[in-house]
Amino acid sequence: MSLPPRVKRAAALSARFLTVGGISTLIEVATFNILLFGLGWDAVAAKIVASLVALVNAYFGNRQWTFKDRARRRRWVEITLFVIVNAVCTALGALLVWGGVEAASALLGRPAGPFVVNIVNLVSIVVVVLARFGFYHSVVFRASPTERAAQPGA
């Protein structure tokens, strides 16, 4: 049984997005741990800075590979939308880390340790990845009306 072309395109797009996201996640987790445990930063500040560092990779990876076939807008419009979407997603991630660390500390009756903090951070990354994919696909790197009309089964 062969998959419909639309499903194949969606699977290929998702695989490229997850590859770029995986590399960005490694960058984010490494930066987060260096800032938090190596330099003694606050968890929320470390999360925000780590997310911003990873976003540089995410923009270029997604623009040049994941969504390379999408029509390009003016660069400043695309970058502005990318920054706005990622500001929202970074705030969501920071909120999830803050709430998760606070909840874990309350449940444990002591400050959360590195293992728990990293689990909370990874959960926040999963939630934010889903939000980013939706925003990138429908807002930042959206297909133009002519591209959508040219796709079979659209």
Side-chain angles (χ1 to χ4, degrees):
M1 178 173 121
S2 179
L3 294 173
R6 188 175 194 175
V7 173
K8 287 180 182 178
R9 281 192 309 276
L13 181 72
S14 297
R16 289 190 305 266
F17 177 79
L18 290 173
T19 300
V20 171
I23 294 166
S24 296
T25 298
L26 292 174
I27 292 168
E28 182 174 342
V29 169
T31 305
F32 178 77
N33 279 284
I34 289 168
L35 295 174
L36 183 65
F37 300 114
L39 300 177
W41 284 34
D42 172 72
V44 173
K47 174 67 176 179
I48 291 169
V49 171
S51 293
L52 295 174
V53 169
L55 286 179
V56 174
N57 177 72
Y59 176 76
F60 288 106
N62 283 303
R63 174 70 272 170
Q64 301 302 326
W65 188 46
T66 306
F67 299 101
K68 70 178 187 253
D69 298 329
R70 300 280 175 96
R72 295 180 186 261
R73 303 172 188 211
R74 290 187 171 135
R75 180 69 63 149
W76 70 268
V77 171
E78 191 173 85
I79 290 173
T80 300
L81 289 170
F82 186 84
V83 168
I84 290 168
V85 161
N86 283 292
V88 169
C89 289
T90 298
L92 174 61
L95 181 64
L96 291 170
V97 166
W98 172 79
V101 169
E102 290 295 317
S105 295
L107 286 172
L108 295 170
R110 61 177 171 75
F115 180 76
V116 172
V117 171
N118 274 287
I119 295 298
V120 168
N121 187 39
L122 290 173
V123 169
S124 79
I125 289 169
V126 169
V127 171
V128 170
V129 161
L130 294 172
R132 278 192 175 117
F133 182 77
F135 284 129
Y136 289 178
H137 182 68
S138 62
V139 176
V140 179
F141 304 114
R142 74 171 195 256
S144 69
T146 55
E147 287 173 317
R148 285 192 296 268
Q151 293 176 350

